[in-house]
Amino acid sequence: MLVVMKATALPEEIQAVCEHIEQLGLRPHPLPGAERTAIGITGNKGEVDRGNLESLSGVADVIRVTRAYKLASREVKEEDTVVTFPGTDATIGGRNLAIVAGPCSIESRQQAFAIAEQVAASGAQFYRGGAFKPRTSPYAFQGLGLEALHIMAEIREAFGLRIVTEALDNESLELANEYADVIQIGARNMQNFSLLKRAGKLRKPVLLKRGLSATLDEFLMAAEYVMSEGNYQVILCERGVRTFADHTRNTLDLSIVPAVQSLSHLPILVDPSHGTGKRDKVLPLARAAVAVGADGIMVEVHNQPDKALSDGPQSIYPDQFATMMDELEQIGAVVHRSLPRGIRATSEAR
Ligand code: PEP
Ligand code: MN
C-alpha cells in the first residue's frame, strides 16, 4: 500500500500519517519526491484498511501496490533515485555516469596507491578494492581484510575518491560500514537475506550485484530486503549470469538495464569485468553498457594484471582505462549522459 501525500502537505501531516501507520503495527517508509512525498507501507499480511488512511489530513490518495517488490518499484517512486555522497559532487544515478574503478583485490599499499593514482588521473570518482574476497577456492587469496580498509581510507584522503568495498558477512559488514562509502554485496550473497537485512539497517549506500542465476524479480526482491529495513540507497549492478556460453566467464545481460529501469527507480551499473572475464572484451561491453542506458560502470583495473592475486585476466591496464573514459564520455553524450572527471569537495563538511 502507498499513501500519496498532497503536494501541499506539511511535515507535521506526513509525520502524523507515519505515526498512524505505526499504530496499525505496520512500517511507514516516507519517500520524498520532487513534487510530493509518498509513504510506502510494509509489514501488512493482507489488505490495509485504506478508509482510515484516506481521511487523514494531507493525504491525496491511497494506492494498492501490485508488485511483490514495493519500495524498489516505480509504482511507489516515479523519479529515478540519485545516490549522493555528502561533502562531494559525486552521484550514482541521474544525469551523470558513475565510474567505479580499481583492482579486484587490495594486494599491497603500493599496488593500491599506484592504481588509485592512475584511475583518479583519468577522472574516476569511485575506487573499488576487495578487502574480503569471496573466492571459489579456500586456498586462493582471501584479501588483506582490515589492512586493506586502512589502505583505502588513505586513498580516499589522498585522492578524494569514494570507496566501494565488499562485505561478506556480519563482521565485514560492520567494518565496511566504518571505512567505506559504498558497501558492496557480491553476486554470491545476493540472496543472503540476513546479510541484506543487516545492510538495510545501515545508512550507507549498498551496491547489490546480481546473483549468478538471479532473475529480474529475484534481483529486485533482494534490493527490497535492504530497503524494507529503511536503507533506500541501493545501487544495482549487472555482472553477468551463468549460461552455456564458454567464450566468456559469464554472459553479460545488458537487456536487464532497460528492464530494471522500467520497473524500478534504483540506479543500475554494469560490471563488464566479471561480466566477460576477459580483458579484450571489457571495453566493447563497457561501451555497450553506456549505450544501453546504464548509470555507470564498475571495472577492474590493475597496473600489473599478470601478477594480480585475483581476476588478473579480466583486469584492464590503466592506459586502457583512460581510453575507456574518453570513449564512454562520447557515447554518454549520445544518450544524454555526462561523464564528470574527478571528484570535487562541496561546501558541506566531509
Ligand atoms: C568483485 O566485484 O570483485 C566480485 C567478487 O564480484 P561478483 O560478486 O560480481 O562476483
Ligand atoms: Mn573480481
Side-chain angles (χ1 to χ4, degrees):
M1 197 70 91
L2 179 71
V3 179
V4 181
M5 300 300 293
K6 290 178 182 158
T8 53
L10 302 168
E12 303 85 84
E13 290 172 323
I14 296 169
Q15 179 66 25
V17 173
C18 288
E19 280 165 16
H20 181 88
I21 293 167
E22 275 166 4
Q23 277 158 18
L24 296 172
L26 305 173
R27 179 157 188 169
H29 299 268
L31 305 160
E35 308 262 294
R36 49 155 184 79
T37 290
I39 305 169
I41 303 178
T42 59
N44 51 307
K45 303 272 179 288
E47 285 280 311
V48 180
D49 180 5
R50 54 193 300 149
N52 249 330
L53 289 162
E54 269 166 352
S55 58
L56 296 178
S57 161
V59 172
D61 205 357
V62 179
I63 300 168
R64 202 171 153 256
V65 180
T66 55
R67 302 265 174 205
Y69 37 88
K70 305 193 182 300
L71 304 171
S73 82
R74 276 213 196 267
E75 279 186 274
V76 163
K77 183 168 178 273
E78 228 174 292
E79 305 107 68
D80 292 341
T81 285
V82 180
V83 176
T84 56
F85 295 85
T88 80
D89 63 352
T91 53
I92 301 183
R95 198 175 183 283
N96 287 345
L97 292 171
I99 308 295
V100 184
C104 179
S105 301
I106 300 296
E107 299 164 9
S108 69
R109 189 173 183 279
Q110 198 243 336
Q111 168 252 17
F113 265 77
I115 299 166
E117 186 173 358
Q118 285 170 304
V119 299
S122 297
Q125 294 185 316
F126 298 90
Y127 184 78
R128 61 148 293 148
F132 306 94
K133 296 303 301 178
R135 303 303 300 279
T136 301
S137 164
Y139 308 118
F141 177 61
Q142 305 283 307
L144 295 182
L146 185 57
E147 186 188 344
L149 297 178
H150 285 147
I151 293 169
M152 286 188 281
E154 274 190 67
I155 285 175
R156 177 178 36 224
E157 279 309 307
F159 302 101
L161 295 161
R162 299 295 99 174
I163 304 298
V164 182
T165 201
E166 178 167 356
L168 285 182
D169 49 24
N170 294 346
E171 193 187 345
S172 50
L173 185 68
E174 303 284 313
L175 289 169
N177 185 39
E178 198 176 320
Y179 286 91
D181 300 291
V182 178
I183 300 166
Q184 177 173 325
I185 303 230
R188 290 155 194 82
N189 267 321
M190 192 206 81
Q191 286 191 313
N192 181 340
F193 300 120
S194 66
L195 187 65
L196 295 174
K197 282 202 241 178
R198 277 206 181 225
K201 292 200 183 1
L202 306 177
R203 291 297 171 265
K204 272 272 157 79
V206 171
L207 188 150
L208 180 65
K209 298 189 87 174
R210 183 182 180 186
L212 275 70
S213 64
T215 63
L216 172 58
D217 265 24
E218 288 164 344
F219 195 14
L220 291 175
M221 286 308 276
E224 187 77 16
Y225 259 94
V226 178
M227 300 175 85
S228 70
E229 296 292 338
N231 187 352
Y232 309 123
Q233 297 185 285
V234 179
I235 302 147
L236 302 170
C237 182
E238 160 61 27
R239 47 77 75 206
V241 289
R242 278 279 165 84
T243 68
F244 54 83
D246 57 5
H247 62 288
T248 49
R249 179 179 178 184
N250 292 295
T251 297
L252 191 64
D253 177 15
L254 291 178
S255 71
I256 204 165
V257 173
V260 160
Q261 288 168 340
S262 71
L263 295 174
S264 176
H265 52 86
L266 296 174
I268 178 161
L269 306 183
V270 168
D271 170 354
S273 307
H274 296 86
T276 64
K278 303 209 169 151
R279 184 175 308 127
D280 66 338
K281 312 248 175 334
V282 171
L283 179 55
L285 271 300
R287 292 188 200 114
V290 170
V292 87
D295 294 296
I297 302 289
M298 165 176 269
V299 63
E300 289 182 340
V301 180
H302 203 292
N303 54 345
Q304 291 180 301
D306 295 346
K307 298 203 173 122
L309 298 180
S310 61
D311 287 349
Q314 68 192 32
S315 300
I316 59 171
Y317 288 92
D319 62 327
Q320 291 178 307
F321 178 67
T323 304
M324 172 184 289
M325 291 292 274
D326 291 342
E327 296 191 3
L328 298 188
E329 184 170 20
Q330 294 179 57
I331 295 169
V334 178
V335 289
H336 315 292
R337 292 297 183 87
S338 303
L339 182 63
R341 298 290 186 134
I343 189 161
R344 266 158 286 276
T346 53
S347 49
E348 233 176 306
R350 286 252 296 265

